[in-house]
Amino acid sequence: MQHVVVTGGAGFIGSNFVRYVLTHTAARVTVLDKMTYAASPEALQGLPADRLEVVVGDVADASVVDPLVARLTGPSDAVVHFAAESHNDNSLRDPSPFVQTNIVGTFVLLEAVRAHDVRLHHVSTDEVYGDLALDDPQRFTEQTPYRPSSPYSASKAGADHLVAAWVRSFGVRATVSNCSNNYGPWQHIEKFIPRQITNVLSGSRPRLYGSGQNVRDWIHTEDHSSAVWAILQDGVIGQTYLIGADGERSNLEVVQLVLEQLGRDPDDFDHVADRPGHDLRYAIDSTLLRTELGWNPRYTDFEAGLKDTIEWYSAHRSWWEPHKQDVEAGYATKGQ
Ligand code: NAD
Ligand code: DAU
């Protein structure tokens, strides 16, 4: 039976991927997760216990990582690397865990897959490419030069470069994917869409950074999972694939949609202090993934996906409500 080690498998996207693999395939999964503030072990509940093991540990700790990777001896076994510090605003408050987990953690994992000749898929972000002008007809492609803006995106860019070097210099069997902004269930309420939904559900107003003209290219997390699985099955070793679902929206549009879908006045939000160095626009051209691997997104109706997500947060208050006050207190110190 195929065996996949999923780092960061208790996080927002990692847990979706674990559920995807256990639901759609016969593979077994070992999650390696440090269980930071961003982890949701609840998201793994109800999955088949005979095919899922959860190991609590740090991806930057070789004494934990090496023996786990050594267990992957089958021809299709692999590591899928989601573990990261993932929030830009946190990286502006304290970059140190971003360098440690995202760069050192990826280095430790690369050394383990090199030592045991194990296939790796490294999960990265479109933010490594910097940003685009609002009217730029070009979108990011696999050829776009790296130009990261924040400590988070620079740490992910550093990790991507390490993977590329281990492929070229040591022959490590790795693929990389750079995906756009995800939304869906179990996303931490520090992030834009869940923050605004839970603001409205808690009786406060959404908070828009700056003018709200910034554009993000939204993809449902389920589509990210299906793309990573497609790359793991049929991706070309050494290749980078961009993952996106043609979901460009300005932040202003998204806030107004959230308000409308919750029956509120679309102008019932506050403009707050902008994010320093705030990237203007991300946009992905995912032609390579679609033509080479035949992947297509299923969640192409953003309004419908957002509606489902709002319903999910309305039904899961006991998961997010205990953390809401602390998250908002952190933002309040920055006038956000
Ligand atoms: P998340 O913050 O929700 O989850 C990260 C998970 O990693 C958590 O479970 C956390 O406990 C774990 N983790 C953190 N440090 C660790 C360490 N040192 N050792 C082991 N586990 C550790 O993040 P997410 O939004 O699910 O993102 C997952 C991956 O996808 C990241 O690599 C991120 O860069 C990438 N990505 C995210 C998006 C997005 O829109 N959220 C888009 C593109 C790429
Ligand atoms: O593009 C992929 C990236 O998307 C991932 O690599 C990151 O892990 C993920 O967090 C996300 O980064 P962003 O910085 O784009 O996401 P965030 O949800 O923090 O913010 C989305 C946009 O909304 C951004 O332009 C900032 C803005 N924003 C955010 C918050 C939290 C607001 O206007 N108000 C807010 O309260």
Side-chain angles (χ1 to χ4, degrees):
M1 190 192 295
Q2 184 176 7
H3 184 185
V4 184
V5 167
V6 180
T7 74
F12 163 48
I13 307 170
S15 63
N16 186 283
F17 179 75
V18 171
R19 183 168 294 274
Y20 183 91
V21 171
L22 293 175
T23 309
H24 292 89
T25 83
R28 70 187 173 100
V29 171
T30 300
V31 165
L32 170 65
D33 199 295
K34 193 179 171 185
M35 301 298 170
T36 71
Y37 80 97
S40 300
E42 307 92 316
L44 298 173
Q45 276 168 14
L47 292 170
D50 56 335
R51 289 193 291 134
L52 174 64
E53 181 189 6
V54 178
V55 175
V56 178
D58 188 340
V59 71
D61 180 348
S63 72
V64 174
V65 171
D66 191 78
L68 274 187
V69 172
R71 287 201 226 158
L72 300 177
T73 51
S76 311
D77 293 354
V79 179
V80 181
H81 179 35
F82 289 93
E85 286 291 336
S86 68
H87 192 39
N88 274 299
D89 292 321
N90 293 344
S91 81
L92 296 163
R93 287 177 202 136
D94 178 11
S96 149
F98 289 76
V99 172
Q100 178 61 22
T101 288
N102 301 1
I103 300 181
V104 178
T106 302
F107 160 71
V108 167
L109 193 54
L110 280 165
E111 285 294 79
V113 296
R114 174 160 84 108
H116 300 287
D117 188 21
V118 170
R119 165 83 191 276
L120 171 71
H121 180 72
H122 172 66
V123 176
S124 190
T125 168
D126 59 358
E127 297 197 10
V128 298
Y129 303 116
D131 59 357
L132 298 162
L134 292 179
D135 60 355
D136 191 334
Q138 302 294 318
R139 299 186 290 172
F140 298 139
T141 71
E142 288 75 11
Q143 282 71 47
T144 304
Y146 275 48
R147 194 172 59 88
S149 311
S150 73
Y152 162 68
S153 47
S155 68
K156 292 295 292 187
D160 293 9
H161 288 316
L162 291 181
V163 176
W166 262 241
V167 168
R168 179 163 171 161
S169 301
F170 302 127
V172 160
R173 293 181 290 130
T175 40
V176 176
S177 55
N178 296 79
C179 186
S180 61
N181 284 64
N182 286 222
Y183 74 99
W186 300 110
Q187 186 168 30
H188 196 279
I189 58 167
E190 67 191 355
K191 303 293 199 304
F192 178 53
I193 288 181
R195 184 182 183 208
Q196 312 315 331
I197 294 171
T198 56
N199 275 357
V200 178
L201 292 176
S202 332
S204 47
R205 287 158 68 92
R207 306 270 197 278
L208 196 58
Y209 293 175
S211 68
Q213 296 310 304
N214 307 63
V215 168
R216 296 294 182 266
D217 189 354
W218 294 99
I219 181 172
H220 196 282
T221 185
E222 193 79 15
D223 284 331
H224 190 173
S225 292
S226 68
V228 169
W229 183 254
I231 296 166
L232 201 58
Q233 295 312 296
D234 299 318
V236 175
I237 296 299
Q239 179 67 53
T240 287
Y241 295 90
L242 264 54
I243 305 174
D246 300 332
E248 283 189 71
R249 302 272 167 163
S250 74
N251 294 341
L252 176 61
E253 283 177 276
V254 174
V255 157
Q256 294 197 314
L257 263 175
V258 168
L259 282 162
E260 277 168 27
Q261 292 196 350
L262 281 162
R264 293 265 295 267
D265 185 323
D267 293 326
D268 198 6
F269 64 87
D270 294 322
H271 287 280
V272 295
D274 207 352
R275 175 184 283 172
H278 196 175
D279 280 340
L280 191 50
R281 172 175 164 241
Y282 307 139
I284 289 271
D285 178 346
S286 57
T287 303
L288 179 69
L289 179 65
R290 293 176 195 231
T291 54
E292 189 179 294
L293 303 187
W295 173 86
N296 276 297
R298 281 186 51 229
Y299 292 79
T300 48
D301 180 343
F302 179 70
E303 279 77 1
L306 186 63
K307 188 163 173 287
D308 289 350
T309 305
I310 289 174
E311 277 165 17
W312 190 90
Y313 280 89
S314 304
H316 290 78
R317 279 179 175 270
S318 61
W319 174 67
W320 57 264
E321 255 173 357
H323 310 289
K324 185 67 180 163
Q325 210 178 340
D326 280 354
V327 169
E328 291 306 316
Y331 278 120
T333 61
K334 299 284 175 196
Q336 294 178 320

